[in-house]
Amino acid sequence: AQSVTQLGSHVSVSEGALVLLRCNYSSSVPPYLFWYVQYPNQGLQLLLKYTSAATLVKGINGFEAEFKKSETSFHLTKPSAHMSDAAEYFCAVSDPFGSSNTGKLIFGQGTTLQVKP
Amino acid sequence: DSGVTQTPKHLITATGQRVTLRCSPRSGDLSVYWYQQSLDQGLQFLIHYYNGEERAKGNILERFSAQQFPDLHSELNLSSLELGDSALYFCASSVGWRGGTGELFFGEGSRLTVL
C-alpha cells in the first residue's frame, strides 16, 4: 500500500531563509508525487508534481522538489521564504498505473509552515 | 479558482441529523473524489466516482453515501450525524482516473459542524 510521511508537523523559518519541507513515500511501483498548499479557509492548490519525467520539478511561487528514488523522498524547497508562504503543505502520492488504483491521492499529515519577520 | 464548486460552504446541524453536500466538478472532468479533513485524521479519502460509477471506497462510514449524477455533479450524504463527523469535506475532480497527469483539483470545501 502507498503511504506518505511528512517529517515535522510544524516548521518555522525567518523571512528570507531557506524553506525545506520533508516528504518520504512508500510505493511498490513508480509513483506520481505531488505537493499541495492550503491557505487558511481555502481548498488545496497544486504547487508541483512529479510524473516520472525530470527528477527536479519546479512549481509555482518559487518552490521546487527533487524526486530521489534511492531515498524514497520528495522534499520541497524554496530558497527564500516570504511571509505569504505561511500555510499548510501536503505531500501526496498516487499510483496511476497500478491495477488497484483509481487515481486517488494519498496525503501526508501536513506540515504547517510559519514564516517569522 | 480551481473550477470545482462545493455547496454549502458552512453547515451547522445537530447530532442525529442528515445533510447533503454538493459538488460540481471542473468542466470536462469525469472523476469526482471526496475527502474528509479533520485535525486528528488529516486528509482521508472517502470515495471516488467516475462517469457516474463508483470506482473506489476509502475510509467511508456506512452512515455516509455518495452518488454522481448524469450531469457529473456529485452529492455526499451524511446521516445519523455524530459530533465526530464535524470536519471539512473536500470534493476534487480530475479528467480521468488512470494514467494522465494525476493531479486533482480541489474545491474550497464544506465545513460541517455537528452540535
Side-chain angles (χ1 to χ4, degrees), chain A residues 32 34 36 38 41-46 49 51 88 90 94 96-109, chain B residues 33 35 37 39-45 48 55-56 88 90 96-108 111:
Chain A
Y32 283 3
F34 307 83
Y36 280 82
Q38 185 181 24
N41 301 314
Q42 294 188 25
L44 279 75
Q45 178 184 1
L46 181 69
K49 63 186 179 186
T51 57
E88 188 157 20
F90 292 92
S94 78
F97 300 102
S99 59
S100 61
N101 188 59
T102 68
K104 68 179 184 293
L105 300 186
I106 303 299
F107 286 88
Q109 287 294 96
Chain B
Y33 302 80
Y35 284 83
Q37 184 180 34
L39 285 176
D40 54 345
Q41 295 292 323
L43 269 164
Q44 295 290 314
F45 167 70
H48 169 213
R55 296 297 309 178
L88 192 52
F90 283 111
W97 62 276
R98 199 167 176 88
T101 56
E103 70 262 40
L104 303 187
F105 297 87
F106 282 79
E108 295 197 349
R111 182 170 296 280

Side-chain angles (χ1 to χ4, degrees), chain A residues 62-74:
Chain A
F63 284 94
E64 63 181 38
E66 186 171 8
F67 172 70
K68 291 187 177 180
K69 184 178 179 180
S70 61
E71 299 177 8
T72 61
S73 68
F74 190 57

Side-chain angles (χ1 to χ4, degrees), chain A residues 3-49:
Chain A
S3 66
V4 171
T5 301
Q6 290 184 239
L7 302 175
S9 59
H10 288 83
V11 170
S12 181
V13 301
S14 298
E15 192 174 19
L18 171 72
V19 175
L20 171 60
L21 304 183
R22 299 178 187 274
C23 171
N24 288 90
Y25 69 91
S26 172
S27 177
S28 59
V29 296
Y32 283 3
L33 293 160
F34 307 83
W35 277 99
Y36 280 82
V37 61
Q38 185 181 24
Y39 298 103
N41 301 314
Q42 294 188 25
L44 279 75
Q45 178 184 1
L46 181 69
L47 272 179
L48 49 80
K49 63 186 179 186

